[in-house]
Amino acid sequence: MADTTTNYDAGDLAWMYEEADDDEDDQDWADGSPVKYFTQEMSMRGRLRRLLIKNPTTRLCSTIFDLAVKTIVCTLYVTRVCIDDLEVYACHGSTCNENSTEVAVVDHINWYVILWVSRPLGLWIVQIFLAVITLIKAMLQIYVMTKGRRHENILQPGFLLELFCSVPVIATVAYPVLLKDLFLPIFLNVWLAKMALERLFNDLHLTKQRFQTISVTLSQQILLLNVTLFCLIFTTICGIQHIQRSSALVKLNMFESVYFVIVTFSTVGYGDISPDIWVGRLFMLFMICVAFAFIPRQLEEIASTYVQRKRSGGEYGRRKAARNKHVVVCSTSLTTETVMNFLNEFYAHPKLEEHTVVLMSSDELDTSMQMILKDPKWANRVLYIRGSALKDIDLKRCRINDAEACFFLAAKNCGCRDKADQHTILRSWAVKDFAPKCRQYVQLFRAENKMHVKFAEHVVCEDEFKYALLANNCLYPGLSTLVTLLLHTSRGREGELATEAWQQVYGRHSGNEVYHIQLNRSAFFRQYDGKKFTEASACAHTRFGVSLVAVLDVTKSEPSLQLNPGPDYILKGSDYCFYMGVTREENSKIKSGAMENVSVSANRNKNIELIANEIQKWLQSEGEGDDVNDEESVFSTITSHLGGSISRRLMQTAETLPLLKITVDNIGESSEPNSPEYDCQDSLDTVNESTPSPVGKVMGLFPEATVEGYMTGSPPSTLYVGTRRTKCHLHREPRPYCCLEWGQNCDHCQTKTAKDDLWKGQIIILAAEYASTGIYNFIVPLRSSFHSIGCLNPIVLLLEQEPDTMFLETIAAFPLVYWLQGKISSIDDLLRAGINHASHVVISNKESDIDASEETLADAETVVTVQKISRLFPSTNVITELNDASNMRFMQFQAHDVYSQEISKLEKKLKERTSSNLPHLFRLPFAAGQVFSAGMLDRLLYQTFVKGYLISFVRLLLGIDAQHNSGHLSSVRVRRATLAQFPTYGDLYQGLCSTTGEIPIAIYRSEKRPTPVVSSDPDLRSMNNNISKPRPRQGPTKYKQSIASRMYFTDTDQNEARDLINSRMKSLNITDEQSAVKEQDSLLSYVIVNPSPKRKLKNGDMIYVIQPSTMMAVPNKQRSRTQRNVSAKHSNFTVNSVSTPPLARTSQTRVSWNLNANMENRKPNGLRPNDYRFRSKSESQVPERD
């Protein structure tokens, strides 16, 4: 059998080798075949046809030859005119004298000089030679034409004109003595030259075998129109010059003829030169009529062609591409707002000022876009090309091979975002195929489409970032505003136009951005080579006011960005440092005093001593069971489980190791966490042993809510999104589908309805149009492993469409995630979702509302719905996403709110006097982080061209991605005890860096709005819109409020709305009733990015911090407005939910910081069991006193 197989294989190979012999046999048969094909091409006429017509190269050379010959013929005619001496033969072939019968009389015509000229012999021979060649060539082309079309070609104007110009010249050979000097209108060859030029453009196109660009085609049309106009003028010049030779008084040379024709055709008509014989007048009359019929039409065509060319865009030339660097921006449609945002962000960087931006879109230029391109600021740096990235010819027009980068922007006004992503993907593929070396920056809507453009250098997915921002806004209020301010380019001058103190502080610090520099090249950080990261961050902030937040170690085989790697990380000279500041270090001037070494040992020792004292006082209070102080400790993450050890070590060694390192290394009884085998699940087991109920208030009421039922691991990737590096709290076994639907109790769970009081202030409602893959990025930050499992809030997804099976499989792995089919506009659906128990209601903008005809109306339904929710449920914290940032002025809209009217005036000033990219900066909902526009994420893609790390930085900050030893976002609440020990932001910065290793980055501050002063005086009613500017150091501004404004804010509407809600709740069998809540909120909130070290802290401030990976994040959740009004005199927020003690981890393992079992059973005096809370950063162990 084996031999048979071998022979078979050998036979196959032999058959393959015999193919060449078969080809030779086929060729021999074809040579001797009795049938001959293409015989028409084997004849003489067929061969000439292939040579002169079908061969593009030969045809192109033939056309160029025709153009050159006709140009030479016209040049010879002008030469003959210039050397012709009329006086020699003016009198019938002889020189005129005084006795001649030719007398200078008006209207006398010398017909002899019209019929005869003086032509040199050499010139005559050359003309005959050229005429013979051109005539033979013309007749040869007629001969090779296809039968049946020859008579049509003979009657063509071009061939007839060729006969008229060439035959008479050749006929002079019959009798040279007489006919050599016969006048012939050889100047008409200029029209044959024009026809040759037209054929030349066509032949060039056929030679290149491709479509011509619109710009080239329009340029050719303009050139041909100009050539036609030139031929008309040249014919008139030669004709009037020859006719006026016969005049006795007005003889014109070539220059005078040119002058006369130009003046005449331009309708100027000076009158200094004019024909004086009837033949000249008749000729000019005829040519003027032709000109009047031809020139306006030609000029109109030229003008319309030029306008069309302007609307279609130009072409980026090769010389300009070699001289200047450029980038290409591609999109389906480029709106004015999109273009302006890109140009402002792109050219904000000094090193990009010489770059050229090439905009390419398939739409025509509208009026507003033309005004942008005519602006002197952009005229020489921005070029628009109408075309498509799918066409190679358009890509060549924009010189994509020479471009530094190509940006693909998603069409915002597209109703179907899946279709828009498909268009973007095809454009990206086309550019990658045409220019493989061109860097690509791609913007998509859907997260699942990123898999198609993985080859791109940078990809920004809108759904991925916007849902992550919305989720983090529920954990850390105002985070969307913080990220937006970091992404937009500004110098912080917006605060200069503001009048109030909070606006000035907020606007001035809004100019902070993220920058990078290598440590050994930095004046800020060079001296910290070999120092700890947190120590360098604290010292640099004290000296220079910059916040060192991340580092990149390039010495690793796979370098990755790390947010706050912790106190164990030692800086090296090759590291890249990432810091927050108002401007780049290269553009800053450092004072000599700031470079001197400043001793911070005393402050550091003082801070550590204060922390140790606080821990000791807290331990004593726990041991005695009484409250020692009415304030929480400064750093309440440090619990009694490790407090004694921490306190002793801090007292002994104040300047040795950081707090976390000291603590973990000193734990003798807990050696397991330091072992390599210790993992995340072991930490959860440790928590379970130390605390009987580690799963928190809500999860503890579920029978299946035990620590053994959960694990920490990578989230499911069934939706083609996410990263395996992110760790989340997950179910060990996915929940059944019946347990996922909210409002429908099942056998496994009987509490999935809004009727249960256990959800009080816990639910996070996300309202979306359908179950998109972006919701995955909303769930992951809320279920991050950096959060304690007891702090998890239930998530209810209010979807208009029922989700598919794949989506249900995904959310089944996450704890406390449910879905409900309903609309955000329905009151019953909101009540069934549990809005009366909700801590946050997150509203995602509907895609189906996007209307291309008027883009600003895309947010109409969302804005009106949010306004209705705010009226019906005034105690609800609503976070809204808008499509158009300009619609933020409609959020929390109140027609008679005088304070909002003043902010509107300030916004108008910003638009008129500055070039700010965020004119809505001071709008209260935006400043508080209650609304943001997904369009602001466009700037993330724009700035990535210069800051290639920015996307990774934001992904790590929002919890979308994770890196080994990279920190995460958290927060610290400032209390009165904190103010007593750390009155300024710099002191708190030093304290956090030197102890817990946390790095503050911003402040979220809430304070009272200026109180309106109601006046019934009619003279004061006119002052509603004329609010006086606040005087420095004189307290808040007081506003005059009109009677109409007072009547608007009555309690009648609120009572009716409350009665309506209570009625609907009774119909839905929901027993909870809505209490009376004042609609107007007297608080305003804003973000202070990277405050100065001397910035004073206030009670209730929330500090955004980046924790090391060894710690557990503690979210700061806003309490509802109902609860906020109860404790309004405290003027700060507290956490509405009950949270378990946070966990802390070392750089290798996770360590539990919890109360001991015996301490947990003891509760403070005067507290009910349900009111008892474990200590966390956001809550006090001891309740606040009135």
Side-chain angles (χ1 to χ4, degrees), residues 573-756:
S574 60
D575 290 346
Y576 278 90
C577 300
F578 301 89
Y579 60 96
M580 295 169 52
V582 177
T583 184
R584 303 174 62 91
E585 177 186 329
E586 295 86 342
N587 302 331
S588 304
K589 182 179 181 181
I590 304 176
K591 296 182 179 179
S592 57
M595 298 303 298
E596 298 177 359
N597 292 328
V598 179
S599 177
V600 295
S601 299
N603 293 334
R604 188 171 186 270
N605 294 339
K606 180 181 177 181
N607 294 340
I608 296 176
E609 183 179 358
L610 290 173
I611 297 170
N613 292 334
E614 287 295 321
I615 296 173
Q616 282 290 84
K617 290 166 59 179
W618 184 78
L619 292 176
Q620 294 175 4
S621 66
E622 288 296 325
E624 297 173 359
D626 297 331
D627 296 341
V628 178
N629 195 355
D630 63 343
E631 297 290 343
E632 65 175 327
S633 63
V634 181
F635 299 103
S636 53
T637 36
I638 307 173
T639 57
S640 63
H641 186 68
L642 301 173
S645 175
I646 297 172
S647 178
R648 288 191 299 270
R649 289 297 301 269
L650 287 176
M651 289 299 187
Q652 295 173 2
T653 57
E655 293 187 6
T656 55
L657 298 176
L659 178 60
L660 293 180
K661 184 67 176 178
I662 297 171
T663 303
V664 174
D665 293 343
N666 235 6
I667 303 175
E669 62 273 9
S670 179
S671 59
E672 295 178 357
N674 293 330
S675 62
E677 293 79 8
Y678 186 80
D679 57 5
C680 298
Q681 184 57 37
D682 295 336
S683 66
L684 294 178
D685 296 336
T686 306
V687 178
N688 190 28
E689 294 174 0
S690 60
T691 58
S693 180
V695 291
K697 174 182 175 182
V698 176
M699 298 182 66
L701 297 177
F702 290 92
E704 72 278 7
T706 60
V707 175
E708 289 78 7
Y710 299 98
M711 68 175 184
T712 301
S714 300
S717 58
T718 55
L719 298 179
Y720 311 105
V721 292
T723 173
R724 305 301 298 176
R725 294 188 295 266
T726 306
K727 303 298 179 182
C728 298
H729 294 296
L730 303 172
H731 284 283
R732 291 187 180 274
E733 296 294 335
R735 292 176 292 166
Y737 290 167
C738 60
C739 296
L740 303 179
E741 187 173 1
W742 180 263
Q744 301 292 334
N745 292 329
C746 61
D747 297 337
H748 309 90
C749 183
Q750 301 293 328
T751 56
K752 298 190 285 68
T753 61
K755 302 176 183 179
D756 298 312

Side-chain angles (χ1 to χ4, degrees), residues 116 123 135 197 217-218 265 290 303 379 485 528 587 649 741 797 801 844 850 901 939 993 1001 1030 1036 1088 1127:
W116 304 98
L123 183 63
L135 181 61
L197 183 62
T217 302
L218 294 178
F265 281 175
V290 173
L485 295 180
Y528 304 119
N587 302 331
R649 289 297 301 269
E741 187 173 1
L797 307 177
Q801 303 175 13
S844 177
I850 299 178
Q901 293 175 3
R939 297 179 176 88
C993 290
I1001 57 176
I1088 307 176
S1127 59

Side-chain angles (χ1 to χ4, degrees), residues 251-534:
K251 292 181 174 61
L252 302 178
N253 55 30
M254 287 299 296
F255 177 77
E256 293 174 341
S257 299
V258 171
Y259 169 77
F260 167 71
V261 172
I262 296 298
V263 170
T264 303
F265 281 175
S266 63
T267 67
V268 176
Y270 291 117
D272 52 345
I273 299 177
S274 61
D276 60 338
I277 58 177
W278 67 269
V279 179
R281 293 170 182 174
L282 181 62
F283 176 78
M284 287 305 302
L285 181 63
F286 173 76
M287 295 305 297
I288 289 175
C289 293
V290 173
F292 280 163
F294 173 80
I295 292 180
R297 182 170 60 88
Q298 296 298 318
L299 293 177
E300 182 181 1
E301 291 183 7
I302 292 175
S304 62
T305 304
Y306 179 78
V307 172
Q308 184 179 1
R309 179 182 179 181
K310 283 294 184 182
R311 297 180 62 183
S312 300
E315 181 176 356
Y316 196 65
R318 182 180 302 175
R319 294 182 179 178
K320 194 172 183 180
R323 186 172 60 253
N324 297 328
K325 297 179 180 180
H326 74 286
V327 297
V328 181
V329 181
C330 300
S331 181
T332 302
S333 60
L334 292 171
T335 62
T336 305
E337 182 180 2
T338 302
V339 172
M340 289 303 301
N341 289 338
F342 179 86
L343 295 179
N344 289 329
E345 289 292 342
F346 186 82
Y347 286 115
H349 303 277
K351 67 178 184 179
L352 301 181
E353 291 180 354
E354 301 299 328
H355 281 60
T356 302
V357 175
V358 180
L359 306 174
M360 185 166 64
S361 175
S362 57
D363 293 342
E364 292 185 357
L365 279 175
D366 55 6
T367 305
S368 57
M369 191 67 68
Q370 291 180 7
M371 295 302 298
I372 294 177
L373 298 180
K374 291 181 180 179
D375 190 342
K377 186 177 181 181
W378 317 115
N380 297 325
R381 297 189 292 179
V382 181
L383 176 65
Y384 181 85
I385 295 179
R386 184 185 178 187
S388 173
L390 301 179
K391 297 180 179 179
D392 292 350
I393 188 62
D394 292 333
L395 293 178
K396 189 172 182 180
R397 289 171 58 199
C398 61
R399 304 294 173 185
I400 195 70
N401 282 313
D402 300 328
E404 285 198 339
C406 184
F407 292 85
F408 299 94
L409 306 185
K412 301 296 183 181
N413 56 354
C414 181
C416 181
R417 297 197 167 184
D418 289 326
K419 187 176 181 180
D421 278 354
Q422 294 169 4
H423 294 174
T424 304
I425 292 171
L426 288 183
R427 293 190 184 98
S428 177
W429 289 354
V431 172
K432 192 65 176 179
D433 179 70
F434 188 85
K437 296 183 179 180
C438 181
R439 293 185 297 167
Q440 295 191 15
Y441 297 76
V442 184
Q443 182 185 38
L444 297 174
F445 288 115
R446 302 290 181 228
E448 63 269 23
N449 292 327
K450 291 175 60 178
M451 60 185 297
H452 302 296
V453 289
K454 285 186 177 181
F455 55 83
E457 279 69 18
H458 298 281
V459 181
V460 172
C461 178
E462 183 176 296
D463 282 359
E464 188 178 45
F465 284 94
K466 81 172 184 181
Y467 279 108
L469 270 176
L470 292 173
N472 280 275
N473 252 11
C474 299
L475 299 173
Y476 312 103
L479 185 65
S480 61
T481 302
L482 171 62
V483 174
T484 302
L485 295 180
L486 288 177
L487 294 182
H488 97 289
T489 302
S490 171
R491 296 187 177 181
R493 295 180 178 177
E494 289 84 355
E496 297 178 358
L497 299 178
T499 57
E500 297 192 12
W502 77 268
Q503 294 173 346
Q504 295 172 355
V505 173
Y506 171 56
R508 182 167 61 253
H509 289 82
S510 66
N512 283 273
E513 297 181 48
V514 181
Y515 301 101
H516 70 286
I517 192 171
Q518 197 168 16
L519 188 138
N520 53 16
R521 300 179 181 178
S522 170
F524 288 166
F525 311 111
R526 184 188 305 133
Q527 55 189 319
Y528 304 119
D529 189 2
K531 303 292 184 181
K532 300 174 183 178
F533 181 84
T534 53

Side-chain angles (χ1 to χ4, degrees), residues 772-839:
S772 66
T773 54
I775 298 179
Y776 173 93
N777 296 284
F778 181 83
I779 299 175
V780 169
L782 296 177
R783 295 295 178 264
S784 174
S785 61
F786 291 118
H787 301 148
S788 174
I789 194 172
C791 297
L792 304 184
N793 285 53
I795 302 174
V796 178
L797 307 177
L798 185 59
L799 308 174
E800 296 186 7
Q801 303 175 13
E802 185 176 353
D804 55 12
T805 304
M806 183 179 294
F807 182 82
L808 295 179
E809 290 179 358
T810 303
I811 66 174
F814 296 99
L816 297 180
V817 179
Y818 309 95
W819 71 275
L820 173 67
Q821 187 172 3
K823 293 185 177 182
I824 192 67
S825 58
S826 173
I827 299 177
D828 290 354
D829 292 339
L830 290 174
L831 292 173
R832 288 192 299 114
I835 192 173
N836 55 317
H837 295 322
S839 63

Side-chain angles (χ1 to χ4, degrees), residues 858-982:
D859 301 318
E861 182 177 355
T862 302
V863 171
V864 175
T865 302
V866 172
Q867 190 77 352
K868 180 176 67 174
I869 294 176
S870 301
R871 294 300 180 95
L872 297 179
F873 306 96
S875 62
T876 305
N877 293 318
V878 183
I879 302 174
T880 312
E881 179 229 340
L882 298 178
N883 184 67
D884 194 347
S886 62
N887 291 327
M888 290 184 181
R889 63 184 186 272
F890 301 126
M891 304 304 298
Q892 301 180 4
F893 183 77
Q894 294 178 356
H896 300 278
D897 189 355
V898 183
Y899 193 74
S900 298
Q901 293 175 3
E902 283 301 306
I903 294 180
S904 178
K905 294 180 180 179
L906 180 58
E907 180 178 344
K908 295 177 182 178
K909 288 183 180 179
L910 289 176
K911 293 180 180 179
E912 295 174 356
R913 302 183 184 180
T914 66
S915 58
S916 174
N917 298 328
L918 291 178
H920 51 272
L921 181 70
F922 297 104
R923 292 286 182 177
L924 297 183
F926 173 77
Q930 298 173 355
V931 61
F932 89 102
S933 173
M936 299 175 183
L937 297 174
D938 298 347
R939 297 179 176 88
L940 176 60
L941 184 67
Y942 305 157
Q943 290 205 12
T944 307
F945 182 70
V946 176
K947 305 175 182 178
Y949 54 86
L950 200 57
I951 294 179
S952 299
F953 181 90
V954 177
R955 288 176 61 89
L956 292 174
L957 186 66
L958 298 180
I960 303 175
D961 200 356
Q963 292 290 346
H964 175 69
N965 202 32
S966 178
H968 54 271
L969 189 66
S970 185
S971 59
V972 174
R973 181 68 65 179
V974 176
R975 301 298 184 186
R976 284 190 287 270
T978 312
L979 292 176
Q981 301 165 12
F982 302 100

Side-chain angles (χ1 to χ4, degrees), residues 45 142-143 145-154:
R45 189 173 64 86
I142 296 296
Y143 169 74
M145 289 293 177
T146 306
K147 293 181 179 180
R149 297 183 55 188
R150 295 176 183 174
H151 65 283
E152 297 179 0
N153 292 304
I154 293 175

